[in-house]
PDB file of all heavy atoms in Angstrom:
ATOM      1  N   VAL A  80      -7.589  14.907  -4.469  1.00 89.00           N
ATOM      2  CA  VAL A  80      -8.021  14.754  -5.838  1.00 89.00           C
ATOM      3  C   VAL A  80      -6.866  14.634  -6.802  1.00 89.00           C
ATOM      4  O   VAL A  80      -6.841  13.792  -7.697  1.00 89.00           O
ATOM      5  CB  VAL A  80      -8.955  15.926  -6.198  1.00 89.00           C
ATOM      6  CG1 VAL A  80      -9.275  15.908  -7.686  1.00 89.00           C
ATOM      7  CG2 VAL A  80     -10.239  15.896  -5.395  1.00 89.00           C
ATOM      8  N   LEU A  81      -5.814  15.510  -6.595  1.00 91.00           N
ATOM      9  CA  LEU A  81      -4.684  15.527  -7.570  1.00 91.00           C
ATOM     10  C   LEU A  81      -3.897  14.192  -7.464  1.00 91.00           C
ATOM     11  O   LEU A  81      -3.574  13.608  -8.472  1.00 91.00           O
ATOM     12  CB  LEU A  81      -3.738  16.659  -7.248  1.00 91.00           C
ATOM     13  CG  LEU A  81      -4.282  18.071  -7.648  1.00 91.00           C
ATOM     14  CD1 LEU A  81      -3.262  19.164  -7.179  1.00 91.00           C
ATOM     15  CD2 LEU A  81      -4.484  18.173  -9.135  1.00 91.00           C
ATOM     16  N   ILE A  82      -3.642  13.730  -6.266  1.00 91.00           N
ATOM     17  CA  ILE A  82      -2.904  12.490  -6.102  1.00 91.00           C
ATOM     18  C   ILE A  82      -3.699  11.290  -6.582  1.00 91.00           C
ATOM     19  O   ILE A  82      -3.191  10.424  -7.309  1.00 91.00           O
ATOM     20  CB  ILE A  82      -2.482  12.302  -4.625  1.00 91.00           C
ATOM     21  CG1 ILE A  82      -1.453  13.331  -4.225  1.00 91.00           C
ATOM     22  CG2 ILE A  82      -1.914  10.905  -4.383  1.00 91.00           C
ATOM     23  CD1 ILE A  82      -1.066  13.336  -2.748  1.00 91.00           C
ATOM     24  N   ALA A  83      -5.029  11.262  -6.202  1.00 89.00           N
ATOM     25  CA  ALA A  83      -5.855  10.065  -6.655  1.00 89.00           C
ATOM     26  C   ALA A  83      -6.049  10.080  -8.120  1.00 89.00           C
ATOM     27  O   ALA A  83      -5.947   9.031  -8.758  1.00 89.00           O
ATOM     28  CB  ALA A  83      -7.199  10.193  -5.922  1.00 89.00           C
ATOM     29  N   PHE A  84      -6.265  11.266  -8.736  1.00 89.00           N
ATOM     30  CA  PHE A  84      -6.450  11.323 -10.181  1.00 89.00           C
ATOM     31  C   PHE A  84      -5.212  10.901 -10.945  1.00 89.00           C
ATOM     32  O   PHE A  84      -5.261  10.146 -11.931  1.00 89.00           O
ATOM     33  CB  PHE A  84      -6.912  12.745 -10.609  1.00 89.00           C
ATOM     34  CG  PHE A  84      -7.155  12.880 -12.075  1.00 89.00           C
ATOM     35  CD1 PHE A  84      -8.299  12.351 -12.640  1.00 89.00           C
ATOM     36  CD2 PHE A  84      -6.239  13.475 -12.944  1.00 89.00           C
ATOM     37  CE1 PHE A  84      -8.611  12.471 -14.029  1.00 89.00           C
ATOM     38  CE2 PHE A  84      -6.467  13.580 -14.289  1.00 89.00           C
ATOM     39  CZ  PHE A  84      -7.664  13.064 -14.807  1.00 89.00           C
ATOM     40  N   SER A  85      -4.048  11.321 -10.469  1.00 91.00           N
ATOM     41  CA  SER A  85      -2.793  10.959 -11.097  1.00 91.00           C
ATOM     42  C   SER A  85      -2.558   9.476 -10.973  1.00 91.00           C
ATOM     43  O   SER A  85      -2.102   8.860 -11.914  1.00 91.00           O
ATOM     44  CB  SER A  85      -1.608  11.727 -10.433  1.00 91.00           C
ATOM     45  OG  SER A  85      -1.789  13.121 -10.587  1.00 91.00           O
ATOM     46  N   LYS A  86      -2.934   8.894  -9.835  1.00 91.00           N
ATOM     47  CA  LYS A  86      -2.819   7.423  -9.715  1.00 91.00           C
ATOM     48  C   LYS A  86      -3.710   6.715 -10.628  1.00 91.00           C
ATOM     49  O   LYS A  86      -3.380   5.678 -11.188  1.00 91.00           O
ATOM     50  CB  LYS A  86      -3.048   7.001  -8.239  1.00 91.00           C
ATOM     51  CG  LYS A  86      -1.973   7.436  -7.257  1.00 91.00           C
ATOM     52  CD  LYS A  86      -2.327   6.973  -5.841  1.00 91.00           C
ATOM     53  CE  LYS A  86      -1.224   7.314  -4.848  1.00 91.00           C
ATOM     54  NZ  LYS A  86      -1.578   6.869  -3.491  1.00 91.00           N
ATOM     55  N   MET A  87      -4.939   7.269 -10.779  1.00 89.00           N
ATOM     56  CA  MET A  87      -5.902   6.606 -11.691  1.00 89.00           C
ATOM     57  C   MET A  87      -5.418   6.594 -13.165  1.00 89.00           C
ATOM     58  O   MET A  87      -5.481   5.539 -13.812  1.00 89.00           O
ATOM     59  CB  MET A  87      -7.236   7.337 -11.628  1.00 89.00           C
ATOM     60  CG  MET A  87      -8.013   7.105 -10.342  1.00 89.00           C
ATOM     61  SD  MET A  87      -9.313   8.373 -10.068  1.00 89.00           S
ATOM     62  CE  MET A  87     -10.113   8.373 -11.653  1.00 89.00           C
ATOM     63  N   VAL A  88      -4.891   7.712 -13.590  1.00 89.00           N
ATOM     64  CA  VAL A  88      -4.338   7.792 -14.979  1.00 89.00           C
ATOM     65  C   VAL A  88      -3.149   6.886 -15.158  1.00 89.00           C
ATOM     66  O   VAL A  88      -3.109   6.138 -16.073  1.00 89.00           O
ATOM     67  CB  VAL A  88      -3.974   9.277 -15.291  1.00 89.00           C
ATOM     68  CG1 VAL A  88      -3.321   9.344 -16.687  1.00 89.00           C
ATOM     69  CG2 VAL A  88      -5.214  10.189 -15.268  1.00 89.00           C
ATOM     70  N   GLY A  89      -2.201   7.021 -14.236  1.00 90.00           N
ATOM     71  CA  GLY A  89      -1.031   6.135 -14.341  1.00 90.00           C
ATOM     72  C   GLY A  89      -1.387   4.652 -14.200  1.00 90.00           C
ATOM     73  O   GLY A  89      -0.738   3.795 -14.776  1.00 90.00           O
ATOM     74  N   GLY A  90      -2.415   4.393 -13.361  1.00 88.00           N
ATOM     75  CA  GLY A  90      -2.822   3.019 -13.146  1.00 88.00           C
ATOM     76  C   GLY A  90      -3.484   2.391 -14.339  1.00 88.00           C
ATOM     77  O   GLY A  90      -3.719   1.146 -14.307  1.00 88.00           O
ATOM     78  N   VAL A  91      -3.826   3.151 -15.354  1.00 88.00           N
ATOM     79  CA  VAL A  91      -4.329   2.596 -16.590  1.00 88.00           C
ATOM     80  C   VAL A  91      -3.266   2.622 -17.662  1.00 88.00           C
ATOM     81  O   VAL A  91      -3.016   1.617 -18.358  1.00 88.00           O
ATOM     82  CB  VAL A  91      -5.557   3.408 -17.039  1.00 88.00           C
ATOM     83  CG1 VAL A  91      -5.977   2.943 -18.454  1.00 88.00           C
ATOM     84  CG2 VAL A  91      -6.720   3.233 -16.115  1.00 88.00           C
ATOM     85  N   VAL A  92      -2.541   3.751 -17.836  1.00 90.00           N
ATOM     86  CA  VAL A  92      -1.572   3.883 -18.931  1.00 90.00           C
ATOM     87  C   VAL A  92      -0.395   2.906 -18.774  1.00 90.00           C
ATOM     88  O   VAL A  92      -0.050   2.242 -19.743  1.00 90.00           O
ATOM     89  CB  VAL A  92      -1.042   5.362 -18.960  1.00 90.00           C
ATOM     90  CG1 VAL A  92       0.069   5.466 -20.013  1.00 90.00           C
ATOM     91  CG2 VAL A  92      -2.189   6.330 -19.306  1.00 90.00           C
ATOM     92  N   VAL A  93       0.157   2.809 -17.543  1.00 91.00           N
ATOM     93  CA  VAL A  93       1.334   1.973 -17.383  1.00 91.00           C
ATOM     94  C   VAL A  93       0.999   0.519 -17.549  1.00 91.00           C
ATOM     95  O   VAL A  93       1.717  -0.183 -18.275  1.00 91.00           O
ATOM     96  CB  VAL A  93       1.960   2.249 -15.992  1.00 91.00           C
ATOM     97  CG1 VAL A  93       3.120   1.277 -15.703  1.00 91.00           C
ATOM     98  CG2 VAL A  93       2.475   3.697 -15.880  1.00 91.00           C
ATOM     99  N   PRO A  94      -0.037  -0.045 -16.925  1.00 90.00           N
ATOM    100  CA  PRO A  94      -0.332  -1.482 -17.153  1.00 90.00           C
ATOM    101  C   PRO A  94      -0.669  -1.830 -18.578  1.00 90.00           C
ATOM    102  O   PRO A  94      -0.244  -2.832 -19.118  1.00 90.00           O
ATOM    103  CB  PRO A  94      -1.554  -1.749 -16.268  1.00 90.00           C
ATOM    104  CG  PRO A  94      -1.490  -0.685 -15.229  1.00 90.00           C
ATOM    105  CD  PRO A  94      -0.950   0.530 -15.896  1.00 90.00           C
ATOM    106  N   VAL A  95      -1.390  -0.925 -19.304  1.00 90.00           N
ATOM    107  CA  VAL A  95      -1.709  -1.155 -20.697  1.00 90.00           C
ATOM    108  C   VAL A  95      -0.415  -1.201 -21.524  1.00 90.00           C
ATOM    109  O   VAL A  95      -0.229  -2.118 -22.375  1.00 90.00           O
ATOM    110  CB  VAL A  95      -2.658  -0.086 -21.241  1.00 90.00           C
ATOM    111  CG1 VAL A  95      -2.781  -0.187 -22.746  1.00 90.00           C
ATOM    112  CG2 VAL A  95      -4.057  -0.240 -20.605  1.00 90.00           C
ATOM    113  N   THR A  96       0.442  -0.199 -21.294  1.00 90.00           N
ATOM    114  CA  THR A  96       1.704  -0.191 -22.066  1.00 90.00           C
ATOM    115  C   THR A  96       2.551  -1.413 -21.780  1.00 90.00           C
ATOM    116  O   THR A  96       3.080  -1.998 -22.728  1.00 90.00           O
ATOM    117  CB  THR A  96       2.456   1.137 -21.698  1.00 90.00           C
ATOM    118  OG1 THR A  96       1.670   2.270 -21.911  1.00 90.00           O
ATOM    119  CG2 THR A  96       3.760   1.235 -22.508  1.00 90.00           C
ATOM    120  N   PHE A  97       2.679  -1.751 -20.564  1.00 89.00           N
ATOM    121  CA  PHE A  97       3.517  -2.919 -20.202  1.00 89.00           C
ATOM    122  C   PHE A  97       2.911  -4.184 -20.727  1.00 89.00           C
ATOM    123  O   PHE A  97       3.603  -5.121 -21.197  1.00 89.00           O
ATOM    124  CB  PHE A  97       3.700  -2.993 -18.663  1.00 89.00           C
ATOM    125  CG  PHE A  97       4.735  -3.973 -18.257  1.00 89.00           C
ATOM    126  CD1 PHE A  97       6.083  -3.689 -18.299  1.00 89.00           C
ATOM    127  CD2 PHE A  97       4.396  -5.259 -17.841  1.00 89.00           C
ATOM    128  CE1 PHE A  97       7.075  -4.594 -17.928  1.00 89.00           C
ATOM    129  CE2 PHE A  97       5.332  -6.171 -17.449  1.00 89.00           C
ATOM    130  CZ  PHE A  97       6.702  -5.831 -17.490  1.00 89.00           C
ATOM    131  N   ALA A  98       1.582  -4.305 -20.661  1.00 88.00           N
ATOM    132  CA  ALA A  98       0.922  -5.492 -21.220  1.00 88.00           C
ATOM    133  C   ALA A  98       1.148  -5.624 -22.713  1.00 88.00           C
ATOM    134  O   ALA A  98       1.392  -6.723 -23.236  1.00 88.00           O
ATOM    135  CB  ALA A  98      -0.587  -5.494 -20.929  1.00 88.00           C
ATOM    136  N   LEU A  99       1.128  -4.518 -23.422  1.00 88.00           N
ATOM    137  CA  LEU A  99       1.381  -4.573 -24.874  1.00 88.00           C
ATOM    138  C   LEU A  99       2.825  -4.957 -25.177  1.00 88.00           C
ATOM    139  O   LEU A  99       3.067  -5.749 -26.077  1.00 88.00           O
ATOM    140  CB  LEU A  99       1.066  -3.170 -25.479  1.00 88.00           C
ATOM    141  CG  LEU A  99      -0.349  -2.696 -25.477  1.00 88.00           C
ATOM    142  CD1 LEU A  99      -0.493  -1.273 -26.003  1.00 88.00           C
ATOM    143  CD2 LEU A  99      -1.262  -3.650 -26.318  1.00 88.00           C
ATOM    144  N   LEU A 100       3.748  -4.418 -24.382  1.00 87.00           N
ATOM    145  CA  LEU A 100       5.139  -4.781 -24.565  1.00 87.00           C
ATOM    146  C   LEU A 100       5.381  -6.291 -24.202  1.00 87.00           C
ATOM    147  O   LEU A 100       6.124  -7.002 -24.927  1.00 87.00           O
ATOM    148  CB  LEU A 100       6.066  -3.868 -23.719  1.00 87.00           C
ATOM    149  CG  LEU A 100       6.079  -2.395 -24.060  1.00 87.00           C
ATOM    150  CD1 LEU A 100       6.852  -1.614 -23.049  1.00 87.00           C
ATOM    151  CD2 LEU A 100       6.656  -2.192 -25.473  1.00 87.00           C
ATOM    152  N   LEU A 101       4.784  -6.694 -23.119  1.00 87.00           N
ATOM    153  CA  LEU A 101       4.949  -8.054 -22.656  1.00 87.00           C
ATOM    154  C   LEU A 101       4.344  -9.043 -23.674  1.00 87.00           C
ATOM    155  O   LEU A 101       4.830 -10.176 -23.844  1.00 87.00           O
ATOM    156  CB  LEU A 101       4.285  -8.260 -21.296  1.00 87.00           C
ATOM    157  CG  LEU A 101       4.768  -9.435 -20.443  1.00 87.00           C
ATOM    158  CD1 LEU A 101       6.252  -9.371 -20.152  1.00 87.00           C
ATOM    159  CD2 LEU A 101       3.988  -9.488 -19.109  1.00 87.00           C
ATOM    160  N   ASN A 102       3.262  -8.659 -24.307  1.00 84.00           N
ATOM    161  CA  ASN A 102       2.647  -9.470 -25.286  1.00 84.00           C
ATOM    162  C   ASN A 102       3.471  -9.731 -26.509  1.00 84.00           C
ATOM    163  O   ASN A 102       3.232 -10.704 -27.263  1.00 84.00           O
ATOM    164  CB  ASN A 102       1.246  -8.835 -25.696  1.00 84.00           C
ATOM    165  CG  ASN A 102       0.395  -9.787 -26.447  1.00 84.00           C
ATOM    166  OD1 ASN A 102       0.107 -10.893 -26.014  1.00 84.00           O
ATOM    167  ND2 ASN A 102      -0.083  -9.381 -27.622  1.00 84.00           N
ATOM    168  N   GLU A 103       4.492  -8.852 -26.749  1.00 83.00           N
ATOM    169  CA  GLU A 103       5.357  -9.025 -27.906  1.00 83.00           C
ATOM    170  C   GLU A 103       6.470 -10.000 -27.647  1.00 83.00           C
ATOM    171  O   GLU A 103       7.148 -10.406 -28.633  1.00 83.00           O
ATOM    172  CB  GLU A 103       5.952  -7.658 -28.295  1.00 83.00           C
ATOM    173  CG  GLU A 103       4.908  -6.573 -28.712  1.00 83.00           C
ATOM    174  CD  GLU A 103       4.223  -7.004 -29.944  1.00 83.00           C
ATOM    175  OE1 GLU A 103       4.817  -7.525 -30.885  1.00 83.00           O
ATOM    176  OE2 GLU A 103       2.984  -6.797 -29.987  1.00 83.00           O
ATOM    177  N   ILE A 104       6.640 -10.386 -26.404  1.00 82.00           N
ATOM    178  CA  ILE A 104       7.707 -11.400 -26.090  1.00 82.00           C
ATOM    179  C   ILE A 104       7.213 -12.740 -26.517  1.00 82.00           C
ATOM    180  O   ILE A 104       6.161 -13.212 -26.042  1.00 82.00           O
ATOM    181  CB  ILE A 104       8.056 -11.329 -24.581  1.00 82.00           C
ATOM    182  CG1 ILE A 104       8.603  -9.921 -24.212  1.00 82.00           C
ATOM    183  CG2 ILE A 104       9.078 -12.416 -24.211  1.00 82.00           C
ATOM    184  CD1 ILE A 104       8.908  -9.814 -22.712  1.00 82.00           C
ATOM    185  N   THR A 105       7.958 -13.437 -27.301  1.00 80.00           N
ATOM    186  CA  THR A 105       7.564 -14.769 -27.782  1.00 80.00           C
ATOM    187  C   THR A 105       8.046 -15.875 -26.903  1.00 80.00           C
ATOM    188  O   THR A 105       7.477 -16.942 -26.904  1.00 80.00           O
ATOM    189  CB  THR A 105       8.062 -14.975 -29.239  1.00 80.00           C
ATOM    190  OG1 THR A 105       9.483 -14.783 -29.268  1.00 80.00           O
ATOM    191  CG2 THR A 105       7.403 -13.973 -30.186  1.00 80.00           C
ATOM    192  N   ASN A 106       9.146 -15.616 -26.169  1.00 82.00           N
ATOM    193  CA  ASN A 106       9.651 -16.625 -25.297  1.00 82.00           C
ATOM    194  C   ASN A 106       8.824 -16.775 -24.030  1.00 82.00           C
ATOM    195  O   ASN A 106       8.746 -15.814 -23.225  1.00 82.00           O
ATOM    196  CB  ASN A 106      11.144 -16.261 -24.908  1.00 82.00           C
ATOM    197  CG  ASN A 106      11.790 -17.413 -24.125  1.00 82.00           C
ATOM    198  OD1 ASN A 106      11.411 -17.677 -22.975  1.00 82.00           O
ATOM    199  ND2 ASN A 106      12.809 -18.050 -24.733  1.00 82.00           N
ATOM    200  N   ILE A 107       8.156 -17.877 -23.840  1.00 82.00           N
ATOM    201  CA  ILE A 107       7.177 -18.096 -22.767  1.00 82.00           C
ATOM    202  C   ILE A 107       7.860 -17.948 -21.392  1.00 82.00           C
ATOM    203  O   ILE A 107       7.327 -17.341 -20.451  1.00 82.00           O
ATOM    204  CB  ILE A 107       6.449 -19.451 -22.881  1.00 82.00           C
ATOM    205  CG1 ILE A 107       5.741 -19.569 -24.209  1.00 82.00           C
ATOM    206  CG2 ILE A 107       5.522 -19.638 -21.735  1.00 82.00           C
ATOM    207  CD1 ILE A 107       4.722 -18.471 -24.397  1.00 82.00           C
ATOM    208  N   THR A 108       9.043 -18.509 -21.264  1.00 85.00           N
ATOM    209  CA  THR A 108       9.770 -18.433 -19.986  1.00 85.00           C
ATOM    210  C   THR A 108      10.083 -17.026 -19.578  1.00 85.00           C
ATOM    211  O   THR A 108       9.823 -16.600 -18.431  1.00 85.00           O
ATOM    212  CB  THR A 108      11.057 -19.286 -20.037  1.00 85.00           C
ATOM    213  OG1 THR A 108      10.790 -20.626 -20.407  1.00 85.00           O
ATOM    214  CG2 THR A 108      11.785 -19.283 -18.704  1.00 85.00           C
ATOM    215  N   SER A 109      10.617 -16.251 -20.536  1.00 83.00           N
ATOM    216  CA  SER A 109      10.912 -14.840 -20.199  1.00 83.00           C
ATOM    217  C   SER A 109       9.682 -14.061 -19.916  1.00 83.00           C
ATOM    218  O   SER A 109       9.622 -13.230 -18.987  1.00 83.00           O
ATOM    219  CB  SER A 109      11.655 -14.190 -21.404  1.00 83.00           C
ATOM    220  OG  SER A 109      12.870 -14.873 -21.691  1.00 83.00           O
ATOM    221  N   LYS A 110       8.604 -14.343 -20.622  1.00 82.00           N
ATOM    222  CA  LYS A 110       7.323 -13.622 -20.444  1.00 82.00           C
ATOM    223  C   LYS A 110       6.794 -13.889 -19.073  1.00 82.00           C
ATOM    224  O   LYS A 110       6.350 -12.975 -18.361  1.00 82.00           O
ATOM    225  CB  LYS A 110       6.332 -14.124 -21.509  1.00 82.00           C
ATOM    226  CG  LYS A 110       5.024 -13.330 -21.538  1.00 82.00           C
ATOM    227  CD  LYS A 110       4.175 -13.767 -22.703  1.00 82.00           C
ATOM    228  CE  LYS A 110       2.900 -12.960 -22.781  1.00 82.00           C
ATOM    229  NZ  LYS A 110       2.091 -13.371 -23.951  1.00 82.00           N
ATOM    230  N   ARG A 111       6.819 -15.127 -18.620  1.00 84.00           N
ATOM    231  CA  ARG A 111       6.298 -15.495 -17.300  1.00 84.00           C
ATOM    232  C   ARG A 111       7.179 -14.899 -16.211  1.00 84.00           C
ATOM    233  O   ARG A 111       6.696 -14.507 -15.133  1.00 84.00           O
ATOM    234  CB  ARG A 111       6.215 -17.002 -17.152  1.00 84.00           C
ATOM    235  CG  ARG A 111       5.068 -17.633 -18.004  1.00 84.00           C
ATOM    236  CD  ARG A 111       5.017 -19.101 -17.892  1.00 84.00           C
ATOM    237  NE  ARG A 111       3.930 -19.680 -18.615  1.00 84.00           N
ATOM    238  CZ  ARG A 111       3.693 -20.990 -18.773  1.00 84.00           C
ATOM    239  NH1 ARG A 111       4.536 -21.810 -18.208  1.00 84.00           N
ATOM    240  NH2 ARG A 111       2.702 -21.400 -19.462  1.00 84.00           N
TER     241      ARG A 111
END
Side-chain angles (χ1 to χ4, degrees):
V80 173
L81 288 177
I82 292 175
F84 182 75
S85 300
K86 288 181 177 180
M87 287 164 48
V88 174
V91 173
V92 174
V93 175
V95 169
T96 304
F97 191 80
L99 294 175
L100 295 174
L101 200 60
N102 193 52
E103 296 298 319
I104 299 178
T105 56
N106 187 292
I107 301 300
T108 303
S109 299
K110 188 174 182 178
R111 289 178 177 175

